[in-house]
Amino acid sequence: KFVRHRRATCANPPQNRQRLKTTDATNKNMGSAISAEGYIHRTGVYCVNVNISIKADRRDDFLEVIRNNQKGTMDKEPLALEYTWGESAEKRNTFFFHEKYKGRSGFVAHQRTKHFKKWKEFVASDPFTKPPQVFIFESAQ
């Protein structure tokens, strides 16, 4: 159901980092995440960005589920750092999420919660007008 995009990152110190060529397309998209030496530095903050378009008749259901998911995440998950969502200013029923966790393990723990189970049930009910876009990356700052 989800389209997943992953951006590779490299670890620091030197024995665990990978040099990126300045012509690499990833490099162009990373901006300040790349040091003067051309290395991407990992922070241990696991980020998830989601873009979704909800069917108009499912809007109220979506709002209930997403509010519950945000509340459960921030109130009950010690590895959750941020859970922000909102609606597009230009297109009704198009929503964006930005989530941050302490490492990938924080996101994995999130996926095992009761509130995330409700999200999965909602997703399985065919609420989208097009496939969601999910972007997963590790923060470089």
Side-chain angles (χ1 to χ4, degrees):
K1 297 265 183 183
F2 285 96
V3 178
R4 294 200 181 269
H5 300 275
R6 296 185 184 269
R7 177 154 309 178
T9 60
C10 308
N12 202 12
Q15 66 269 22
N16 292 327
R17 60 187 181 185
Q18 174 184 349
R19 177 90 171 152
L20 294 177
K21 297 178 182 176
T22 55
T23 57
D24 187 336
T26 302
N27 220 355
K28 292 177 187 172
N29 294 325
M30 293 299 284
S32 64
I34 300 175
S35 69
E37 299 87 25
Y39 298 105
I40 298 174
H41 299 282
R42 298 179 82 165
T43 63
V45 176
Y46 193 80
C47 304
V48 181
N49 285 348
V50 181
N51 302 346
I52 60 172
S53 296
I54 300 293
K55 293 177 181 174
D57 64 335
R58 300 301 309 277
R59 178 185 177 86
D60 291 339
D61 297 333
F62 164 75
L63 292 173
E64 180 181 340
V65 170
I66 200 63
R67 287 178 179 134
N68 182 55
N69 200 18
Q70 179 189 40
K71 181 170 177 29
T73 300
M74 297 313 298
D75 290 352
K76 298 178 182 177
E77 296 181 41
L79 298 177
L81 300 172
E82 180 180 344
Y83 191 112
T84 306
W85 66 275
E87 186 170 17
S88 169
E90 295 149 3
K91 190 168 182 188
R92 186 166 169 83
N93 297 323
T94 296
F95 295 88
F96 305 97
F97 312 179
H98 178 68
E99 305 169 43
K100 289 183 182 178
Y101 300 90
K102 291 181 184 175
R104 186 175 189 284
S105 60
F107 183 65
V108 170
H110 170 68
Q111 293 177 306
R112 294 181 179 149
T113 62
K114 289 181 184 179
H115 49 271
F116 189 81
K117 181 182 178 194
K118 295 286 187 186
W119 170 252
K120 286 174 60 174
E121 291 169 1
F122 176 77
V123 169
S125 71
D126 190 33
F128 306 117
T129 60
K130 61 184 179 181
Q133 294 181 302
V134 179
F135 303 90
I136 296 174
F137 62 97
E138 189 165 343
S139 175
Q141 299 180 1

